[in-house]
Amino acid sequence: QLPAHLRSGNHVSSVWGIYELADGFGGVCALGRQIPGLFKAVGDPELLEERFGDAIGRLENDDELKARLTAWFAGQTKADLLRMGTELKVPFGAVLTPADLLKNESLGERGFFDTVAIAGGGTATVPGRPFLGLPWRPPERLHEPGEDTGAVHREWIGVKA
């Protein structure tokens, strides 16, 4: 148990943050039991020193710990993080862009995306039903910017546009 004057939520007992990667951004939110796996992934022998071995030591050496993690994350890719997270049971995550999501095999296999017509011809792939069980009908077409403003105001906030 930490003294009351050192309390700062989980920051002291966990290692977490969002870091720049070689191809975007990713992060970690490792609780105490997951920190050995995180340090194994990083592969920096200095992280195995006593000063990083407990919550108080990590707090006292937080600037150095963050610097070491920042340097390590910079050499990783989103795919690296997600693979290592599964292998080492470390809660890594990747910040996915819209382009990343469109390429996500799992979302595609689950039928998450809808294809809709766009003004002027052609189609666009858009997010579909947010979760199963929700009645869902994809739009017939993508609307022009502002096209629905009046209807939304009338239906949802009772304002006449």
Side-chain angles (χ1 to χ4, degrees), residues 3-96:
H5 70 282
L6 290 179
R7 293 189 184 274
S8 63
N10 273 346
H11 179 72
V12 175
S13 60
S14 63
V15 175
W16 58 275
I18 300 291
Y19 299 89
E20 190 164 359
L21 305 175
D23 63 348
F25 290 88
V28 64
C29 185
L31 298 175
R33 68 182 180 276
Q34 299 156 325
I35 291 172
L38 169 62
F39 289 176
K40 178 180 179 183
V42 173
D44 182 339
E46 289 196 40
L47 292 177
L48 302 177
E49 293 177 2
E50 187 175 324
R51 63 196 168 121
F52 296 114
D54 63 23
I56 292 176
R58 287 189 295 275
L59 177 63
E60 290 172 347
N61 295 282
D62 189 57
D63 288 344
E64 183 179 353
L65 176 58
K66 294 287 190 231
R68 290 178 180 283
L69 291 175
T70 297
W72 179 79
F73 273 96
Q76 307 307 311
T77 65
K78 295 173 191 180
D80 292 337
L81 278 188
L82 298 177
R83 179 186 43 75
M84 280 187 282
T86 300
E87 290 173 4
L88 299 172
K89 297 184 180 7
V90 176
F92 288 125
V95 178
L96 301 179

Side-chain angles (χ1 to χ4, degrees), residues 149-160:
T149 302
V152 169
H153 284 172
R154 283 188 300 279
E155 181 158 340
W156 293 101
I157 58 176
V159 174
K160 291 186 180 186

Side-chain angles (χ1 to χ4, degrees), residues 72-158:
W72 179 79
F73 273 96
Q76 307 307 311
T77 65
K78 295 173 191 180
D80 292 337
L81 278 188
L82 298 177
R83 179 186 43 75
M84 280 187 282
T86 300
E87 290 173 4
L88 299 172
K89 297 184 180 7
V90 176
F92 288 125
V95 178
L96 301 179
T97 64
D100 293 332
L101 293 171
L102 286 170
K103 292 184 247 176
N104 184 289
E105 290 179 23
S106 176
L107 292 175
E109 289 171 6
R110 293 184 315 189
F112 176 73
F113 297 106
D114 291 328
T115 301
V116 297
I118 57 175
T123 62
T125 302
V126 298
R129 175 180 43 214
F131 51 87
L132 296 176
L134 179 71
W136 184 257
R137 186 178 75 241
E140 292 178 20
R141 66 180 175 82
L142 292 181
H143 295 184
E144 293 292 328
E147 183 178 343
D148 302 311
T149 302
V152 169
H153 284 172
R154 283 188 300 279
E155 181 158 340
W156 293 101
I157 58 176

